[in-house]
Amino acid sequence: MAEAGKPKYYSLMEQLKSDILSGKIKPGEKLPSENELSALYSLSRHTVRKALAILAQEGYVEAFHGKGTFCSEGVRHIGKSRNIAVVTTYISDYIFPRLIQGIDSVLSEEGYSIILKNTGNSRQKEAKCLEELLQKNIDGLIIEPSKSQLACRHPNLYRNLDKYGIPYIFIQGIYMEMRDKPHILMDDTKGGYLATEYLVKLGHKKIIGIFKADDIQGMNRHKGYARALQEYGIAYDPDNVVWFHTEDRKVKPAMMVRDMVRQNRLPEGIVCYNDQIAVQVMEALEEEGIHIPENVSVTGYDNSLYARQGNGITTIAHPQEKLGEMVAELLLEKMSGVPEKESHVERLIQPELIIRGSSQRREKKDKRI
């Protein structure tokens, strides 16, 4: 089978590589043994072994002692599929539709299709998503990490992405141990600071904060809250901070606010982790006979549709569609091999305070009940 001028082992290597790339030999499939290949191509085992060694060195095959030689799983990702995976914590509600719209607007223009998955902010589901995607042919990945304040439970799956040469970008959060990986974040510390500072400037002194404990956004927004209190000479009191987790996000914030009202510990202002929590808190207060903003000022975060209804919620702008466009552009750069120093994509989005009807100056407030 040797072509003129080519060694026999090299011709065999090219033939096997062609079979792999064409799909005749599939990822994970066991190749014929050295003896079988020797007989099939009328070559010595030494020649066959040299051909397989080159394929293994190039990542096309993997040899396992006592089991044989197998087509590498990484071969799935050698060709260009024009598929990009997008994994978010949620898909159909809150800020995510516009985020995904921004991603799609950039990628579709470049001829890419999106594979959408969501984790429900579950680390177990995130691992399952990554395992499934590693079995597909994708050119890149955009992912919002689940419970990003906690240590990543499946770093091996991200290492496999690196191994297969699949670029990935983190959005809205990043695992602490992966801070060197490409990511685009909001400056959540500054956002938490701006919301708290605004309430202080309205004359409020007793300001409670309600933050999510299991993602980096919540921790950084709390950091900004604490910094603003300190800079304006208001003592930080841990009893004025409510922490909640993904699993109790629909119950605990409202429950804790009701408890404060019933114990006559009503605050003057409340800084909420996001607009969803702000709505829960405001509804709970209204049910207890507390009026917004006459009795209590409330701020949210994200400038979602929730924040624009009725009199609106004072909140921090979250450029959802723009963030989607930015992360898609960064992924295109990574897939094209653009060096980091030549990137034109910003990595930290600056927050902006949007003032609406959920807050007002302290001296204008009605007498508290």
Side-chain angles (χ1 to χ4, degrees):
M1 66 171 293
E3 297 180 29
K6 288 186 179 181
K8 292 180 179 180
Y9 73 84
Y10 195 85
S11 295
L12 175 60
M13 181 275 294
E14 286 188 323
Q15 178 62 54
L16 292 174
K17 182 188 291 187
S18 175
D19 289 346
I20 289 170
L21 292 175
S22 68
K24 186 175 179 180
I25 299 175
K26 295 178 173 53
E29 181 179 337
K30 185 178 180 181
L31 274 66
S33 67
E34 291 180 4
N35 285 335
E36 289 170 333
L37 288 171
S38 295
L40 183 62
Y41 292 102
S42 301
L43 298 170
S44 69
R45 284 190 62 185
H46 177 71
T47 298
V48 169
R49 196 171 295 125
K50 286 184 70 175
L52 293 177
I54 295 173
L55 290 173
Q57 187 175 3
E58 294 183 358
Y60 289 95
V61 301
E62 295 179 275
F64 297 93
H65 183 69
K67 294 183 178 180
T69 302
F70 295 79
C71 180
S72 173
E73 288 288 345
V75 171
R76 295 183 193 275
H77 311 290
I78 289 176
K80 293 296 181 183
S81 67
R82 312 301 291 181
N83 291 325
I84 301 295
V86 177
V87 180
T88 56
T89 50
Y90 304 98
I91 286 180
S92 61
D93 63 354
Y94 201 46
I95 64 173
F96 297 99
R98 291 187 62 196
L99 174 69
I100 294 166
Q101 183 179 338
I103 293 172
D104 184 60
S105 67
V106 172
L107 293 180
S108 61
E109 194 171 304
E110 297 296 325
Y112 288 92
S113 298
I114 288 178
I115 300 173
L116 276 178
K117 290 187 174 290
N118 77 93
T119 65
N121 208 30
S122 161
R123 292 189 291 171
Q124 183 177 2
K125 289 182 180 179
E126 180 180 307
K128 185 176 181 181
C129 283
L130 290 175
E131 288 170 354
E132 291 176 359
L133 290 171
L134 283 165
Q135 299 301 313
K136 297 181 183 294
N137 193 0
I138 60 172
D139 294 346
L141 166 67
I142 294 169
I143 184 164
E144 179 189 21
S146 301
K147 298 187 177 180
S148 54
Q149 180 59 23
L150 308 180
C152 180
R153 282 184 174 177
H154 38 268
N156 59 306
L157 297 176
Y158 287 102
R159 285 195 291 269
N160 282 341
L161 289 168
D162 292 328
K163 175 183 175 182
Y164 297 154
I166 303 172
Y168 52 95
I169 312 293
F170 287 107
I171 53 169
Q172 304 206 107
I174 188 166
Y175 294 115
M176 192 169 296
E177 63 268 45
M178 296 186 185
R179 286 185 178 274
D180 61 326
K181 300 299 182 183
H183 57 274
I184 297 180
L185 307 176
M186 284 278 292
D187 188 342
D188 286 307
T189 300
K190 186 175 180 180
Y193 179 94
L194 290 175
T196 308
E197 179 188 48
Y198 178 66
L199 294 184
V200 172
K201 287 183 174 180
L202 288 179
H204 307 321
K205 295 187 182 299
K206 186 178 180 182
I207 302 171
I208 71 167
I210 302 177
F211 302 105
K212 197 160 180 282
D214 54 19
D215 68 33
I216 194 170
Q217 297 101 305
M219 300 303 290
N220 285 337
R221 291 170 195 179
H222 167 263
K223 189 184 298 182
Y225 159 85
R227 182 178 297 169
L229 293 180
Q230 180 184 26
E231 289 188 8
Y232 283 89
I234 300 174
Y236 175 87
D237 184 349
D239 289 338
N240 286 338
V241 176
V242 173
W243 291 102
F244 67 94
H245 293 78
T246 297
E247 292 75 13
D248 57 17
R249 69 190 186 282
K250 295 182 179 180
V251 177
K252 188 175 180 180
M255 179 184 70
M256 295 300 289
V257 167
R258 287 194 184 95
D259 189 57
M260 288 179 184
V261 174
R262 293 167 187 177
Q263 293 186 30
N264 199 28
R265 296 191 298 114
L266 188 67
E268 298 169 3
I270 304 176
V271 175
C272 295
Y273 166 77
N274 65 14
D275 296 337
Q276 283 182 320
I277 298 302
V279 169
Q280 289 180 37
V281 165
M282 291 165 67
E283 289 177 348
L285 289 172
E286 293 285 354
E287 288 170 4
E288 295 294 326
I290 307 300
H291 302 296
I292 311 298
E294 292 82 4
N295 302 134
V296 181
S297 289
V298 177
T299 66
Y301 204 110
D302 288 335
N303 193 29
S304 66
L305 289 176
Y306 293 103
R308 303 172 209 171
Q309 296 174 358
N311 292 328
I313 301 172
T314 296
T315 189
I316 298 295
H318 184 301
Q320 299 121 29
E321 195 165 337
K322 179 62 177 175
L323 172 59
E325 294 170 359
M326 290 168 64
V327 72
E329 289 166 1
L330 181 56
L331 183 62
L332 289 173
E333 284 187 354
K334 294 300 179 184
M335 291 191 298
S336 300
V338 174
E340 182 68 25
K341 62 182 179 181
E342 296 179 16
S343 174
H344 297 292
V345 181
E346 292 182 34
R347 307 305 169 86
L348 190 64
I349 300 173
Q350 294 303 312
E352 176 189 353
L353 182 70
I354 297 177
I355 300 170
R356 295 198 179 97
S358 66
S359 53
Q360 71 176 40
R361 295 196 66 82
R362 176 73 181 95
E363 59 265 28
K364 293 182 180 179
K365 289 183 179 296
D366 294 340
K367 186 177 180 181
R368 293 175 177 279
I369 62 171

